[in-house]
């Protein structure tokens, strides 16, 4: 029993519970509204029996991953947020002696950078308790990111600043390798703006940069 539920889900109710819808997303706007952690839940595990194929058919759509413009919009937003929290606010909070605010900025940077890495890997990010471990099971970029984050958790403020910049550089390199940016800047915000400009969908391109 969990949250008052006993027994099994009807197929539509299962997807409604986690995704807020009973049918697969049909367009980019519907995809954009789906949270990665819920998508991770719905695409994890093994299907043992699906005689009618309805559950699997829905799941196969989700396993196809975000449409490219949706992925780009989310990456643009996360890159901008990571720049703001890590490359900009963390250092400024430290200089003002605001250690608690600095730790909040660092935590926000880790969250945004982590989500961006999963998008670059084309994997849905799991719930935060398991996300760091899952990074270590991903691409070379993801494994390097996990190591940077471990050192952030263990280091002093000076070391943390260095790790923020190192991880930001790795993300920028990953963006470049996928043809998402050509900027020579070392500031993630500049790359976020370039990613956003490359979005074809006028609806997604017209959203605020940090909307993701």
């Amino acid at each position: 029993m969990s949250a008052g539920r006993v027994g099994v889900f009807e197929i539509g109710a299962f997807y409604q519970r986690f995704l807020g819808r009973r049918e697969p997303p049909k367009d980019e706007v519907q995809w954009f509204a789906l949270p990665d952690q819920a998508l991770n839940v719905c695409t994890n595990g093994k299907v043992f029996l699906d005689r009618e194929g309805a559950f699997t058919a829905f799941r196969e759509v989700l396993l196809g991953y975000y449409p490219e413009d949706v992925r780009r919009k989310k990456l643009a937003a996360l890159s901008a947020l990571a720049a703001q929290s890590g490359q900009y606010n963390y250092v400024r909070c430290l200089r003002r002696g605001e250690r608690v605010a600095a730790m909040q900025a660092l935590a926000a940077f880790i969250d945004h950078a982590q989500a961006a890495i999963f998008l670059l890997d084309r994997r849905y990010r799991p719930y935060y308790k398991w996300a760091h471990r899952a990074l270590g099971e991903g691409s070379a970029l993801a494994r390097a990111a996990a190591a940077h984050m471990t050192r952030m958790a263990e280091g002093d403020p000076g070391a943390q600043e260095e790790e923020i910049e190192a991880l930001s550089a790795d993300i920028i390199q990953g963006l470049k390798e996928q043809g998402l940016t050509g900027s020579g800047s070392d500031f993630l915000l500049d790359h976020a703006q370039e990613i956003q400009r490359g979005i074809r969908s006028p609806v997604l391109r017209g959203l605020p940069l940090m909307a993701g």
Side-chain angles (χ1 to χ4, degrees), residues 9-21:
F9 280 117
E10 178 266 332
I11 292 172
F14 172 83
Y15 287 113
Q16 178 70 39
R17 178 186 176 99
F18 292 105
L19 301 178
R21 56 184 306 112

Side-chain angles (χ1 to χ4, degrees), residues 4-200:
R5 180 182 66 80
V6 179
V8 299
F9 280 117
E10 178 266 332
I11 292 172
F14 172 83
Y15 287 113
Q16 178 70 39
R17 178 186 176 99
F18 292 105
L19 301 178
R21 56 184 306 112
R22 288 175 170 265
E23 297 178 349
K26 294 180 173 63
D27 57 38
E28 292 168 335
V29 173
Q30 292 180 358
W31 269 104
F32 187 69
L34 300 180
D36 54 359
Q37 292 177 1
L39 288 163
N40 177 272
V41 170
C42 293
T43 55
N44 249 322
K46 184 176 181 179
V47 177
F48 292 97
L49 180 66
D50 183 16
R51 290 192 180 97
E52 296 183 358
F55 183 87
T56 301
F58 196 135
R59 192 187 220 211
E60 286 298 319
V61 174
L62 303 181
L63 287 169
Y65 205 65
Y66 291 118
E68 182 60 12
D69 270 357
V70 174
R71 189 178 79 104
R72 286 175 182 248
K73 182 65 196 81
K74 289 179 178 288
L75 275 168
L78 289 164
S79 297
L81 289 165
Q84 180 188 57
S85 57
Q87 292 183 288
Y88 185 82
N89 281 328
Y90 174 76
V91 176
R92 282 155 182 78
C93 289
L94 285 179
R95 288 174 181 169
R96 293 196 302 268
E98 297 285 351
R99 290 295 300 273
V100 172
M103 292 302 98
Q104 289 177 301
L106 180 62
F109 171 77
I110 289 173
D111 184 61
H112 302 319
Q114 190 180 76
I117 295 292
F118 276 98
L119 283 161
L120 285 169
D121 265 10
R122 291 180 171 83
R123 292 191 294 156
Y124 296 125
R125 181 171 61 151
Y127 190 54
Y128 77 92
K129 291 192 296 183
W130 302 294
H132 184 258
R133 175 176 291 183
L135 274 184
E137 300 168 353
S139 65
L141 173 61
R143 296 193 301 274
H148 285 305
M149 292 173 189
T150 297
R151 290 191 290 270
M152 286 179 205
E154 297 171 347
D156 58 35
Q160 288 166 343
E161 183 180 350
E162 291 178 3
E163 293 296 340
I164 286 171
E165 291 303 324
L167 178 50
S168 297
D170 285 354
I171 292 172
I172 290 168
Q173 182 59 33
L175 293 169
K176 288 182 175 180
E177 289 175 357
Q178 294 190 19
L180 299 170
T181 179
S183 171
S185 173
D186 59 3
F187 191 36
L188 275 165
L189 180 60
D190 297 326
H191 298 276
Q193 293 167 339
E194 186 161 340
I195 296 167
Q196 180 110 341
R197 286 193 292 270
I199 295 171
R200 294 182 178 182

